[in-house]
Amino acid sequence: MNKLQEANVVVAGGTGGVGEGLVRAFLLEGATVIVPYRHEVRRQRLEEYIGELAEGRLHLFPAELGDEQSVAAFRSNIKEQFGSVDLGVSCIGGWYYGYSLHKMPYDHWQSVIHNNLTTHFLCMRAIVSLMHEQKRGVYVMVNGGAAEYIAPESGAVSIVAAAQLMMARVLKQEAHGTNIRIHSLVAYHPVKTRDRRREVVDDWLTPEEVGDYLTRLYRGEVPDAAKTIHRLYTRQSTHR
Ligand SMILES: NC(=O)c1ccc[n+]([C@@H]2O[C@H](COP(=O)([O-])OP(=O)(O)OC[C@H]3O[C@@H](n4cnc5c(N)ncnc54)[C@H](OP(=O)(O)O)[C@@H]3O)[C@@H](O)[C@H]2O)c1
């Protein structure tokens, strides 16, 4: 199956600035979209943003992606209600700015590891194990330029982003010989999220444009679709 029209898509981080645009883009392509949320106010914000477009195809489940039991319950709900996942996207994380590494408080370190790496691990394990059971699927980890660039006082973000990149590469190797595709999608420029309002450069991608790229990646319609790491820069480079 290669059309989002008939696809079940999980967007972890779908309540976030980039994630909500992915949700919208996938719904516009006719997908059924499943999103975990941890705060009621964020659920409402996403539902208001999506509005009528959902046509009953947006399904939200309370889940804390940093908690093993909660993620296990989320996985069971997906299996029971939808049977399978065709496309899983993790768009989780947050920025950190504070200290140089040698001065960074331990609790800050733990929080970055938890929010930007452990969540990815638990989410990936839930969805990719389902894909191994069903023997097919596409899993994409959305990442930022921090995976390859260094920003002082934000170094911990770069460390975990680089680890996410390696996670995708390991997963890809472990899926060798299966019908499962693993990708990392690295967006190098800031994305025009709703929260940025007017502080944007026109050539930056919108969250929906990142979603459109993911749709084409899922369908195998982007150049070098089989490669693990896909890099997005600006509108011009994406639509070339
Ligand atoms: N924003 C940009 O300009 C930009 C540019 C390039 C790449 N990216 C990449 O896009 C991805 C998402 O970034 P974003 O800007 O959309 O971030 P965001 O607005 O902060 O959204 C992050 C999402 O992750 C969820 N999340 C974070 N920690 C969690 C936890 N412990 N348990 C469950 N959910 C958790 C948040 O849930 P809540 O809604 O409950 O907080 C939210 O849905 C990141 O990988 C980032 O590197 C972003």
Side-chain angles (χ1 to χ4, degrees):
M1 186 201 321
N2 239 6
K3 300 278 176 221
L4 274 190
Q5 192 82 38
E6 304 141 51
N8 293 330
V9 180
V10 175
V11 183
T15 55
V18 176
E20 65 176 16
L22 308 186
V23 171
R24 193 177 145 81
F26 299 148
L27 285 167
L28 280 168
E29 288 291 329
T32 293
V33 182
I34 304 152
V35 176
Y37 70 93
R38 52 180 178 164
H39 305 294
E40 194 54 27
V41 64
R42 303 287 287 169
R43 180 188 71 77
Q44 278 174 15
R45 185 177 187 269
L46 176 62
E47 282 189 331
E48 279 163 19
Y49 174 62
I50 297 298
E52 312 246 307
L53 172 69
E55 294 173 337
R57 289 177 288 112
L58 175 60
H59 303 270
L60 293 118
F61 293 92
E64 164 55 66
L65 297 175
D67 179 85
E68 190 176 13
Q69 272 75 45
S70 183
V71 177
F74 178 53
R75 184 188 194 276
S76 301
N77 278 329
I78 294 174
K79 224 178 144 173
E80 261 168 45
Q81 295 190 35
F82 305 94
S84 63
V85 174
D86 301 288
L87 171 62
V89 180
S90 64
C91 193
I92 321 160
W95 192 250
Y96 171 84
Y97 178 79
Y99 293 87
S100 302
L101 276 180
H102 71 285
K103 292 181 186 160
M104 190 176 181
Y106 181 52
D107 61 324
H108 288 208
W109 170 260
Q110 281 183 309
S111 152
V112 175
I113 295 286
H114 180 81
N115 289 330
N116 290 21
L117 195 56
T118 305
T119 49
H120 276 279
F121 166 71
L122 291 173
C123 175
M124 169 283 294
R125 200 176 58 167
I127 306 298
V128 174
S129 64
L130 264 180
M131 290 179 175
H132 276 273
E133 279 176 26
Q134 70 199 25
K135 297 187 169 47
R136 62 178 179 81
V138 178
Y139 191 76
V140 186
M141 300 175 68
V142 176
N143 206 334
E148 289 172 324
Y149 295 137
I150 300 159
E153 281 87 52
S154 295
V157 173
S158 295
I159 292 170
V160 288
Q164 286 170 35
L165 215 52
M166 185 53 82
M167 192 185 288
R169 294 176 64 198
V170 171
L171 289 170
K172 160 122 177 198
Q173 198 155 76
E174 291 175 349
H176 180 72
T178 71
N179 207 9
I180 298 167
R181 270 164 49 207
I182 306 285
H183 301 285
S184 174
L185 181 72
V186 187
Y188 279 86
H189 289 268
V191 174
K192 286 188 214 170
T193 59
R194 279 200 286 164
D195 288 338
R196 279 191 204 280
R197 299 171 198 275
R198 280 177 298 176
E199 288 174 29
V200 294
V201 171
D202 190 48
D203 205 29
W204 290 349
L205 294 166
T206 65
E208 290 81 2
E209 284 168 332
V210 177
D212 290 341
Y213 186 89
L214 281 166
T215 300
R216 289 187 286 125
L217 174 60
Y218 173 75
R219 291 179 179 148
E221 291 170 357
V222 299
D224 298 323
K227 70 183 176 186
T228 313
I229 301 172
H230 286 252
R231 293 176 170 82
L232 292 184
Y233 297 93
T234 56
R235 276 185 161 166
Q236 270 191 338
S237 63
T238 307
H239 297 306
R240 259 205 312 246

